[in-house]
């Protein structure tokens, strides 16, 4: 099935603008103007701005897991797995920007306002932790290591907002070299 080019233009533009400016700061008109599509086209594909946001988040999650999944090395032990996961996350930050986490921004802006959007954000983080924990079952390591790695990933994402990416990459390299991961 062929994707609608106009729908893709709306999604791409919305994601870029939401990531740069936040959700509430960007109106549908700004998205449509920059995407070069008519309001009727927007509402043909999306019932509302909130539905557009949900699809942007779902698409971004899919893209993240696809990129990370392609880079993971589970075959050479826990150290290699952790290093490949952190490196894949850094690759994501390099490719997608250093303006923080779009999911956390959505949660912050929509908590108590739109439970569907806030829930998507919480579920994304839970899905990532569960994926890491499931991946690590093969290595017979404590389950708590999954949350520890998640904290590292979130820290990397957060720090890219205030430090140069090269500095973050360097610190992550040192962190990975110094990590001591042992069996249970």
């Amino acid at each position: 099935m062929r994707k609608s080019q106009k729908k893709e233009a709306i999604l791409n533009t919305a994601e870029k603008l939401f990531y740069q400016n936040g959700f509430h700061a960007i109106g549908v008109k700004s998205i449509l103007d920059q995407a070069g599509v008519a309001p009727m086209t927007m509402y043909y594909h999306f019932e509302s701005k909130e539905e557009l946001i949900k699809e942007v988040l779902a698409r971004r999650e899919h893209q993240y897991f696809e990129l990370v999944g392609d880079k993971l090395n589970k075959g050479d032990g826990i150290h290699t797995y952790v290093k490949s996961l952190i490196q894949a996350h850094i690759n994501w930050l390099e490719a997608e920007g250093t303006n923080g986490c779009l999911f956390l921004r959505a949660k912050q802006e929509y908590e108590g306002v739109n439970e569907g959007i806030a829930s998507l954000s919480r579920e994304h983080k839970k899905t990532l932790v569960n994926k890491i924990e499931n991946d690590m079952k093969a290595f017979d390591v404590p389950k708590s290591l999954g949350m520890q790695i998640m904290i590292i990933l979130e820290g990397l994402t957060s720090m890219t907002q205030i430090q140069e990416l090269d500095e973050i990459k360097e610190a992550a390299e040192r962190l990975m070299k110094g990590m001591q991961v042992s069996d249970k």
Side-chain angles (χ1 to χ4, degrees), residues 115-140:
E115 185 52 32
I117 293 172
S119 177
L120 275 175
S121 300
R122 287 190 300 274
E123 290 305 313
H124 167 72
K125 297 301 180 180
K126 288 178 188 174
T127 299
L128 182 54
V129 169
N130 289 338
K131 183 201 180 334
I132 294 168
E133 289 173 350
N134 285 333
D135 285 352
M136 291 191 318
K137 284 179 183 176
F139 304 117
D140 195 34

Side-chain angles (χ1 to χ4, degrees), residues 98-127:
T98 57
N99 201 19
C101 177
L102 191 62
F103 289 92
L104 290 180
R105 180 174 293 148
K107 183 187 176 302
Q108 291 162 351
E109 290 191 39
Y110 283 97
E111 191 79 56
V113 177
N114 183 308
E115 185 52 32
I117 293 172
S119 177
L120 275 175
S121 300
R122 287 190 300 274
E123 290 305 313
H124 167 72
K125 297 301 180 180
K126 288 178 188 174
T127 299

Side-chain angles (χ1 to χ4, degrees), residues 14-28:
E15 182 176 358
K16 182 182 106 190
L17 292 173
F18 292 151
Y19 189 67
Q20 289 172 349
N21 304 290
F23 295 94
H24 293 315
I26 295 299
V28 171

Side-chain angles (χ1 to χ4, degrees), residues 23-136:
F23 295 94
H24 293 315
I26 295 299
V28 171
K29 184 173 178 359
S30 296
I31 295 166
L32 298 178
D33 288 348
Q34 287 198 30
V37 298
M40 196 166 78
T41 304
M42 159 77 179
Y43 293 107
Y44 173 78
H45 293 290
F46 308 99
E47 290 180 17
S48 63
K49 178 181 175 184
E50 288 74 18
E51 291 303 313
L52 171 62
I53 291 168
K54 289 177 184 178
E55 191 155 338
V56 164
L57 292 173
R59 189 174 84 149
R60 191 166 178 95
E61 179 178 61
H62 175 77
Q63 291 166 341
Y64 178 80
F65 282 120
E66 190 173 274
L67 179 128
V68 169
D70 289 346
K71 304 286 184 194
L72 288 180
N73 182 343
K74 299 178 199 173
D76 294 330
I78 186 66
H79 292 92
T80 303
Y81 170 78
V82 171
K83 287 178 183 180
S84 70
L85 176 58
I86 291 172
Q87 187 57 56
H89 189 77
I90 290 170
N91 291 348
W92 170 263
L93 294 172
E94 284 181 304
E96 296 300 320
T98 57
N99 201 19
C101 177
L102 191 62
F103 289 92
L104 290 180
R105 180 174 293 148
K107 183 187 176 302
Q108 291 162 351
E109 290 191 39
Y110 283 97
E111 191 79 56
V113 177
N114 183 308
E115 185 52 32
I117 293 172
S119 177
L120 275 175
S121 300
R122 287 190 300 274
E123 290 305 313
H124 167 72
K125 297 301 180 180
K126 288 178 188 174
T127 299
L128 182 54
V129 169
N130 289 338
K131 183 201 180 334
I132 294 168
E133 289 173 350
N134 285 333
D135 285 352
M136 291 191 318

Side-chain angles (χ1 to χ4, degrees), residues 130-165:
N130 289 338
K131 183 201 180 334
I132 294 168
E133 289 173 350
N134 285 333
D135 285 352
M136 291 191 318
K137 284 179 183 176
F139 304 117
D140 195 34
V141 294
K143 184 178 179 183
S144 63
L145 183 59
M147 184 58 73
Q148 293 170 15
I149 292 170
M150 184 69 177
I151 290 168
I152 291 170
L153 298 179
E154 291 298 317
L156 290 169
T157 303
S158 176
M159 291 305 295
T160 60
Q161 294 178 88
I162 56 173
Q163 295 290 123
E164 293 295 321
L165 188 56

